[in-house]
Amino acid sequence: SLRGKSIEDYVIVHASDPERAETFREALVRMTGREPAYVTDISAIVTLFAGRGAVAAAYLESPAEG
């Protein structure tokens, strides 16, 4: 739950696993009804700590209406 807010935009990042990122993108498009702003590989230092094959999304919340 976004506590009364919605997703304004989002991106997907992955650690050297574009196929897994694509599967994640498809799932998020089904959930949000919108494509991500972009999908990209993350830096080597993040891959070092998150692990090869890691996939994540970052999003911007829309302000709550009311």
Side-chain angles (χ1 to χ4, degrees), residues 23-62:
T23 300
F24 193 48
R25 183 199 66 77
E26 291 169 358
L28 287 176
V29 167
R30 281 192 304 274
M31 289 189 308
T32 65
R34 63 186 317 162
E35 291 286 337
Y38 59 87
V39 178
T40 190
D41 200 8
I42 52 178
S43 71
I45 194 70
V46 175
T47 301
L48 176 67
F49 289 99
R52 187 178 185 98
V55 178
Y59 65 92
L60 295 172
E61 293 179 346
S62 296

